[in-house]
Amino acid sequence: MLTAKFDPQSFFQRTDNIALHVPAAEVFSLLKRSIDLPPQWGALVGRTTGDRVIVGAGGIVEAENAEDVLFVRLAPSEINLKLAGLSSQDGFSFDAVVRLRLYPVAERTELSGFLQAVMGSRRVMQTESLSAHLQPVIRDALAGFLAVREAVKLMDASDRYSASETLVAALQVPLFAAGLSLESVPVVAFESAMFRNVQKVREDASLRQAEQDASRQVNETIRVARAEQLDHLAGSLARLKEMAAASPGVELPELIRTFSEHQRGQLYEALFATEAPLARTQWIVAACSDELLFFDARTPDQPARRLRIDGAAGPARSVQIADDGGLLIGAARGVYVWPIDRTAPERTLVVDNGSTVRGGFNSVVRMGELLAATHSELGICEWNWSDGKPRPIRFVEQTRGAKAVRNIVDFDGDLFCSIDDRIIRWRADVSASQPDATLCGAGSMISALEPAREGVYAGTRQGHLVFWPAGVTGEPEILHRGMDRAIESIWMQQIHGVRRLVYSDTSPRIHAHVVGDNFTVHYEAGGQTLRRVEVSPDLLVAMNELRDRLVLWAPGKPQQPMRVISVGSISGRNIQDYCLSVAASSA
């Protein structure tokens, strides 16, 4: 043998190499009879005489009588393990990360144990191989540790030292047998994505609950403060009512107007919030083409009654409450007179040429022996109440060629309706070829009107709210300038002489303006656009722009709706029209 087959110097330079076991013939030759070890390396030499000798760190390994050599890194080596699939006592899946530093003990007995227990038949030992050798012991120890602890405890860093102590105890015998020693206490960390997800869900739920609790507390505080304020204002209102009652000719609105603007607003708000209504809504009646849906105003989530509309007058276009409490339903070819407690109409009034027109009767009114209805193509149609026979079309010259004839309504013995951009008025009991008055100057198509003792209020397609004082037929006053959003409904609401003009303007709110003052309340709908509104003493009901929902408010709670009825999803059809049926309050 002239040259060595293997030079261990290159092996010593790799930091992941821990041990090398080779026959002496591979590292020695006739010319090379010794090996200088690096400072961190030692050796266990097996000799032909049958014994073994230790060469310390940085020593010289001699070829004399050498049979095999175990080169060993005596400096500490770092072992890193990631163990997946462990389980806590409460069933959470965990990963464990373990870091430990260990080294072979530079004694003959210990290195002999290392050679036998760790190296075995291996030629080379690296950190990865040593990790694999120790992994079963470490895994079993940590599995037992986790099995008796709940996840929340394992995630607490303060419990990690206990895990390290457990690992030291578990490794004591295996390391002794392998001739290895720990440089320091192992570092152990636990992680559970499963527990963190559950914890996040719990924290989010807890946060939401805390937010809800805080919101309830805030709302309760506001409610209590508002109730106290309303109690105080109710006392002030009671005194004002007593003063008005004791002073003939003095009305409550006059007394309220003696207060500042801010105080007036509070008094108006308290009046509509605390005053018990003289009548209460019984039914919300929605006409959906070929069906009537009756919603109990107290429990309106589902209709209490559903009635089919399949008479000679065709499907419904509009529905109003008559003075006797029954329904007047404008249909495609006529009018149904329908008692509210009946399952079928009492009578059906039709027009002779109804089959040739489109659309339907958009508004109906009864005054004594007269029933009248408006139709944008047919004009103003009338019938005798006693025998149901049709009368001649009213004011043909005024309605011929009109685009919109609508909004017929009675007030103090007069009838009113709109014809395009003007309003006409006439006596219901007089046969005349011309209206008694024509109100002009609105500037655009009239979409809603409301007569009152002081004059006539109207809304236009442009969104203007206009007013003709009594006796005025020319240019009206503009009470509110719109933004090209039609005002499609106007109502007058009155409590103790305080009157509010309630109107919709195709926006996300309903407006309630005190007549004779500058105070306005807005009933908010949460962002959905509202098309029109119906008003009763105890309820405001608006229809949304898509005509598939009804939004309900209590008069004294404008901040948010008390209920929303999804009529479209119930009936499968859009709402053509709706009305409110009221009865005297028993309170």
Side-chain angles (χ1 to χ4, degrees), residues 203-233:
E203 289 174 352
D204 290 346
S206 177
L207 180 61
R208 286 194 298 271
Q209 185 63 46
E211 290 174 346
Q212 291 173 3
D213 292 343
S215 178
R216 278 196 294 270
Q217 290 177 4
V218 171
N219 289 337
E220 179 62 16
T221 301
I222 293 173
R223 187 195 66 77
V224 171
R226 181 177 174 81
E228 292 175 351
Q229 182 188 35
L230 286 175
D231 288 343
H232 170 72
L233 292 171

Side-chain angles (χ1 to χ4, degrees), residues 451-463:
R453 64 174 183 264
E454 67 271 15
V456 178
Y457 298 90
T460 73
R461 283 279 183 87
Q462 289 181 336

Side-chain angles (χ1 to χ4, degrees), residues 137-352:
V137 175
I138 294 174
R139 183 180 186 87
D140 289 346
L142 293 182
F145 181 84
L146 270 70
V148 296
R149 286 169 173 79
E150 294 183 349
V152 65
K153 184 72 172 176
L154 295 169
M155 296 294 286
D156 187 352
S158 63
D159 202 42
R160 293 176 183 174
Y161 186 73
S162 298
S164 298
E165 289 182 325
T166 298
L167 207 54
V168 169
L171 287 171
Q172 186 173 5
V173 172
L175 291 183
F176 178 78
L180 296 170
S181 180
L182 289 170
E183 182 194 43
S184 59
V185 175
V187 176
V188 183
F190 300 113
E191 181 58 44
S192 174
M194 179 182 177
F195 179 76
R196 288 198 183 277
N197 289 337
V198 171
Q199 194 176 41
K200 186 177 186 308
V201 171
R202 290 172 178 170
E203 289 174 352
D204 290 346
S206 177
L207 180 61
R208 286 194 298 271
Q209 185 63 46
E211 290 174 346
Q212 291 173 3
D213 292 343
S215 178
R216 278 196 294 270
Q217 290 177 4
V218 171
N219 289 337
E220 179 62 16
T221 301
I222 293 173
R223 187 195 66 77
V224 171
R226 181 177 174 81
E228 292 175 351
Q229 182 188 35
L230 286 175
D231 288 343
H232 170 72
L233 292 171
S236 300
L237 282 170
R239 290 191 292 272
L240 289 176
K241 292 174 188 176
E242 292 172 358
M243 292 172 60
S247 305
V250 177
E251 295 185 351
L252 182 62
E254 296 177 28
L255 293 175
I256 292 178
R257 281 194 288 270
T258 63
F259 289 81
S260 68
E261 181 176 344
H262 176 69
Q263 291 170 327
R264 292 201 309 275
Q266 291 183 319
L267 289 169
Y268 288 136
E269 185 178 355
L271 179 65
F272 283 88
T274 60
E275 192 69 19
L278 299 177
R280 292 193 177 275
T281 305
Q282 284 187 316
W283 299 108
I284 303 169
V285 185
C288 299
S289 187
D290 59 357
E291 188 178 29
L292 287 177
L293 281 75
F294 292 76
F295 295 90
D296 188 324
R298 293 167 299 179
T299 55
D301 293 330
Q302 293 292 327
R305 299 167 62 203
R306 300 178 72 161
L307 301 179
R308 191 76 177 169
I309 303 174
D310 55 4
R317 164 66 176 80
S318 62
V319 59
Q320 289 95 42
I321 293 290
D323 290 341
D324 63 1
L327 300 175
L328 299 175
I329 300 171
R333 296 179 294 277
V335 174
Y336 297 106
V337 179
W338 202 315
I340 201 162
D341 58 350
R342 301 278 186 88
T343 59
E346 177 185 311
R347 64 176 72 182
T348 302
L349 310 176
V350 296
V351 292
D352 294 336

Side-chain angles (χ1 to χ4, degrees), residues 450-518:
E450 175 74 0
R453 64 174 183 264
E454 67 271 15
V456 178
Y457 298 90
T460 73
R461 283 279 183 87
Q462 289 181 336
H464 298 335
L465 180 63
V466 298
F467 172 64
W468 286 272
V472 175
T473 58
E475 291 293 325
E477 300 174 13
I478 299 179
L479 304 180
H480 168 77
R481 290 190 178 276
M483 301 177 64
D484 290 326
R485 298 194 301 255
I487 293 178
E488 294 201 8
S489 53
I490 304 174
W491 289 83
M492 187 69 74
Q493 188 181 42
Q494 178 171 312
I495 296 180
H496 280 289
V498 176
R499 296 186 303 151
R500 299 198 304 180
L501 204 62
V502 182
Y503 62 94
S504 59
D505 63 350
T506 326
S507 71
R509 56 179 56 176
I510 299 299
H511 312 272
H513 177 74
V514 174
V515 176
D517 210 331
N518 58 359

Side-chain angles (χ1 to χ4, degrees), residues 47-60:
R47 298 195 298 189
T48 56
T49 56
D51 60 340
R52 296 185 179 276
V53 296
I54 285 288
V55 178
I60 299 174

